[in-house]
Amino acid sequence: MELPARPTLFDFHGVSMTKHFTDNWENTQNFKARPDDILIATYPKSGTTWVCYMLNLLYFGNMSPERQKSVTLNERVPFLELCAPPRPKGKDLADQLPTSPRLIKTHLPVQFVPKSFWEQRCRIVYVAHNSKDTVVSYYHFGRMNSLHPELGDWSTFLQDFMEGKMVFGSWYKHVNSWWEKKQTYSKLHYMVHLKERFSLPWRIEIDRLCSFLGLFPSAEEKEKVRAAVMFDNMKQNKMVNGSTVQIMNHDVSPFMRKGKVADWKNHFTVSQNERFDEDYKQKMKNPTLHFRTEV
Ligand code: A3P
């Protein structure tokens, strides 16, 4: 299949976007959410696939083993605002989802979320990942994904990230405004991705998530989910590892790349790190929102 030409980034109501996420705007905004829909919201490269798969297993892992083996995660959890023909539009896939509840993914900043999600008081799971690992992951993703605009070298990309010139805009504004929303919208569960993975905190994390969702899996079911969402297992799983997505070139960089915290140390120079930290302090003034960049 011929790869599409890379799109250009433009300002869309104050947020940098590309046509692949704005072309179906009216339809997306008019999406009719149902009260039991669950929206999974993230800034790109923050653990979206991980949490989509986790929720999918928690809800449907036992019910349909066949579906787990034959339907990709992208179809099970449609990407609401995606509009990249010839692929089906995310909004249409979400409309047609046969499951209940419907799990729907978005990268939209909070102010762009279709209003029916708020009106229907839907549960929302937001996942954020520390800025340094997010920008590294986004850089490699941009290299391998032809839906992403042309990108310069690493140092240009890092500067663009600091200035919010990324698809879906500024990471700083995204994580902060979703955090603010959580203070007034009680049906929002804000998770910090992979803060401390798969040890005791994993059990606390999954128990909190299940309690928010109103689910009560047995210890055995939770263990099954824990094992399935381990990085190495997801990397091998063709239904979740992106290997069926034709616009991605995994030879350039795999979609399931490293799955580590603190890989940024292999990319940031000392001076880039100092500049980044200085800028971060100016933009992240809320002391209640804290991310770990070390394991
Ligand atoms: P890296 O590029 O740093 O490896 P998203 O799903 O939002 O696109 O996020 C992608 C990032 O999450 C990638 O980070 C990917 O490797 C990582 N990831 C995906 N599944 C994971 C898992 N089960 N455990 C740890 N990291 C995971």
Side-chain angles (χ1 to χ4, degrees):
M1 191 176 103
E2 203 182 321
L3 292 177
R6 287 191 176 237
T8 47
L9 201 61
F10 58 91
D11 181 85
F12 185 76
H13 303 294
V15 177
S16 296
M17 295 287 267
T18 65
K19 64 178 185 164
H20 298 308
F21 307 105
T22 58
D23 271 2
N24 199 30
W25 195 251
E26 284 296 303
N27 284 331
T28 303
Q29 288 300 309
N30 289 328
F31 179 72
K32 288 195 174 24
R34 297 182 199 144
D36 67 341
D37 284 346
I38 296 172
L39 188 66
I40 299 166
T42 63
Y43 187 80
K45 311 318 291 172
S46 302
T48 327
T49 318
W50 172 73
V51 80
C52 286
Y53 190 41
M54 192 152 64
L55 260 69
N56 177 258
L57 290 169
L58 285 168
Y59 278 102
F60 308 116
N62 282 341
M63 278 157 59
S64 52
E66 276 322 303
R67 200 170 151 77
Q68 299 294 345
K69 285 193 213 126
S70 60
V71 183
T72 64
L73 188 63
N74 288 337
E75 294 164 273
R76 288 181 239 158
V77 186
F79 186 178
L80 183 64
E81 59 273 21
L82 179 66
C83 176
R87 302 203 295 178
K89 297 185 176 80
K91 192 262 181 191
D92 295 343
L93 288 177
D95 279 336
Q96 293 153 18
L97 263 186
T99 56
S100 178
R102 300 184 298 187
L103 304 178
I104 299 165
K105 146 184 159 181
T106 186
H107 287 320
L108 290 173
V110 70
Q111 69 274 21
F112 287 169
V113 169
K115 66 178 185 317
S116 64
F117 284 101
W118 311 116
E119 289 166 356
Q120 297 296 327
R121 304 276 310 152
C122 296
R123 286 191 173 92
I124 302 180
V125 176
Y126 184 81
V127 184
H129 193 20
N130 80 66
S131 55
K132 291 182 182 175
D133 285 313
T134 301
V135 61
V136 168
S137 185
Y138 213 169
Y139 174 66
H140 290 293
F141 183 67
R143 293 168 52 232
M144 60 87 76
N145 175 8
S146 53
L147 287 193
H148 195 278
E150 289 294 348
L151 65 175
D153 60 9
W154 160 246
S155 91
T156 311
F157 192 85
L158 183 61
Q159 186 61 36
D160 286 347
F161 181 89
M162 286 158 62
E163 292 173 18
K165 292 184 197 153
M166 296 278 117
V167 189
F168 295 101
S170 156
W171 175 90
Y172 312 86
K173 288 185 181 159
H174 208 282
V175 298
N176 272 311
S177 51
W178 274 99
W179 182 251
E180 277 162 29
K181 187 74 187 180
K182 176 188 148 63
Q183 317 311 320
T184 53
Y185 185 76
S186 59
K187 294 182 95 174
L188 171 56
H189 183 68
Y190 197 109
M191 296 171 75
V192 177
H193 173 50
L194 308 179
K195 194 167 49 178
E196 305 205 25
R197 271 175 296 162
F198 311 132
S199 52
L200 181 68
W202 150 261
R203 293 209 295 276
I204 296 171
E205 193 89 63
I206 195 164
D207 283 346
R208 282 195 189 138
L209 176 64
C210 289
S211 150
F212 169 74
L213 296 171
L215 296 175
F216 303 96
S218 65
E220 194 192 339
E221 283 164 338
K222 280 190 273 187
E223 177 50 30
K224 262 201 211 160
V225 174
R226 188 194 68 83
V229 303
M230 296 212 37
F231 180 75
D232 291 340
N233 291 338
M234 282 183 61
K235 194 174 169 74
Q236 297 307 319
N237 183 338
K238 287 201 173 68
M239 293 298 111
V240 306
N241 67 10
S243 56
T244 59
V245 182
Q246 285 167 337
I247 43 106
M248 293 181 184
N249 185 344
H250 297 259
D251 292 336
V252 173
S253 176
F255 178 63
M256 292 283 161
R257 198 181 59 91
K258 287 200 177 168
K260 288 195 163 44
V261 172
D263 183 42
W264 63 269
K265 292 186 176 179
N266 296 317
H267 293 74
F268 283 59
T269 64
V270 172
S271 73
Q272 283 170 345
N273 194 36
E274 284 169 2
R275 228 166 1 100
F276 191 92
D277 284 347
E278 202 42 54
D279 179 69
Y280 190 92
K281 269 191 243 152
Q282 303 307 316
K283 291 178 175 145
M284 300 294 288
K285 295 229 155 111
N286 187 336
T288 62
L289 182 58
H290 179 69
F291 294 96
R292 289 176 58 140
T293 52
E294 308 274 342
V295 262

